[in-house]
Amino acid sequence: MEDKSMTLTEHLEALRRVLLVCIIALVIATIAVYFGFRDQLLVLIMRPIKAVGINPVFITPWEAFFTTIKICFVAAIFLALPVILWEVWSFILPALHSHERRLVYMLMPASIVLFAAGIVFGYLVVFPAALRFLLVTASEGFTPLITISKYFSFLTMFVLPFGAVFQLPLVIMLLTYLGLVTPKFLAKNRKYAILLIFIVAAIVTPTPDIVSQTLMALPMVVLYEASIWISFLVRRRREEKAREEGI
């Protein structure tokens, strides 16, 4: 496992094998989702828009079919994720030192959990509220005619950023662990951080309305406040460890 003397050709061959296994895993997972969980998945995807009384349409003969394939493929990514992570981890493991491996062992599970939590939060809490505002409150007097492909694209663009922003506590913890930030620095610059959060929310939110951007920004503000406490705990742990090593 510690062999780091592989030639360039051997590295490329190992990378080719990793990519091949990941592609095969995705294909198998997509087929499994399509034939095994397609109906349940479509019900889950359609639930927010049907809750506001709208049924998506399709305007080309192939739109519904290819959108279904796309939905199954996105679900297959999560289904095949253990295989993908294992292959990637096996590829990079020989290049890591023991302390780097410990850091990855600690961060990887937490990152996956936070990403999943962000997706669930965005889908269950924020997306329905934004959808109701856009299709009911702000569109009163108009008749929505939304295609299934446009709806699914909007859903993914709206929900996936929550998986990314929920990584904020983990990023702050890592930066604190590396000594790049301190709890005092984070608290002192809170107002600048909040301003930056609203700017980021305006960029990543797929709609220009202030309601959707605010719904994106508010969880980030809460996560930032939680990150200050996490930074405090990590810094105190580092200081205790340094004192123990000094003894």
Side-chain angles (χ1 to χ4, degrees):
M1 300 296 285
E2 294 291 341
D3 182 15
K4 302 180 183 180
S5 60
M6 294 174 62
T7 65
L8 177 60
T9 302
E10 291 172 332
H11 276 295
L12 292 176
E13 178 63 25
L15 179 60
R16 186 189 70 83
R17 191 195 68 81
V18 168
L19 293 175
L20 183 61
V21 171
C22 291
I23 291 173
I24 293 174
L26 281 174
V27 171
I28 294 174
T30 301
I31 295 173
V33 171
Y34 184 83
F35 289 103
F37 314 102
R38 179 184 63 212
D39 294 338
Q40 298 91 326
L41 191 59
L42 290 174
V43 169
L44 186 66
I45 293 296
M46 297 299 177
R47 184 178 297 168
I49 194 168
K50 287 191 174 184
V52 296
I54 298 174
N55 289 315
V57 301
F58 60 94
I59 57 177
T60 61
W62 56 83
E63 182 178 1
F65 173 72
F66 281 109
T67 303
T68 301
I69 295 296
K70 188 186 298 184
I71 293 172
C72 292
F73 178 75
V74 172
I77 294 176
F78 293 95
L79 184 62
L81 193 60
V83 175
I84 295 173
L85 290 177
W86 174 260
E87 289 297 321
V88 173
W89 175 242
S90 299
F91 179 73
I92 66 173
L93 180 63
L96 299 179
H97 298 287
S98 58
H99 67 281
E100 294 171 334
R101 294 179 190 177
R102 287 195 300 270
L103 189 61
V104 173
Y105 283 136
M106 178 181 65
L107 295 181
M108 183 72 73
S111 178
I112 294 174
V113 170
L114 287 173
F115 184 83
I119 296 295
V120 172
F121 177 82
Y123 171 79
L124 292 179
V125 179
V126 183
F127 183 70
L131 205 61
R132 180 169 294 278
F133 170 78
L134 293 171
L135 298 182
V136 179
T137 306
S139 302
E140 188 176 356
F142 297 94
T143 301
L145 191 63
I146 301 173
T147 64
I148 180 60
S149 60
K150 294 294 184 182
Y151 168 71
F152 180 65
S153 296
F154 178 70
L155 172 64
T156 53
M157 287 190 299
F158 197 98
V159 171
L160 285 180
F162 280 93
V165 301
F166 266 57
Q167 305 295 313
L168 181 61
L170 203 60
V171 172
I172 295 297
M173 184 181 73
L174 179 60
L175 293 177
T176 305
Y177 179 82
L178 297 175
L180 299 177
V181 298
T182 63
K184 183 177 179 180
F185 172 84
L186 295 173
K188 182 179 179 181
N189 293 278
R190 178 184 284 108
K191 57 183 179 181
Y192 302 109
I194 293 176
L195 175 61
L196 181 61
I197 284 172
F198 274 89
I199 293 174
V200 171
I203 294 173
V204 301
T205 304
T207 59
D209 64 285
I210 189 65
V211 174
S212 298
Q213 295 171 8
T214 302
L215 289 172
M216 171 71 77
L218 289 179
M220 294 173 66
V221 173
V222 174
L223 289 170
Y224 183 82
E225 293 295 332
S227 298
I228 296 176
W229 287 100
I230 293 174
S231 178
F232 171 77
L233 295 175
V234 172
R235 183 174 177 82
R236 186 171 68 176
R237 174 58 183 163
R238 287 185 71 241
E239 291 173 348
E240 291 175 353
K241 186 177 180 180
R243 285 197 296 267
E244 291 173 358
E245 292 177 350
I247 294 175

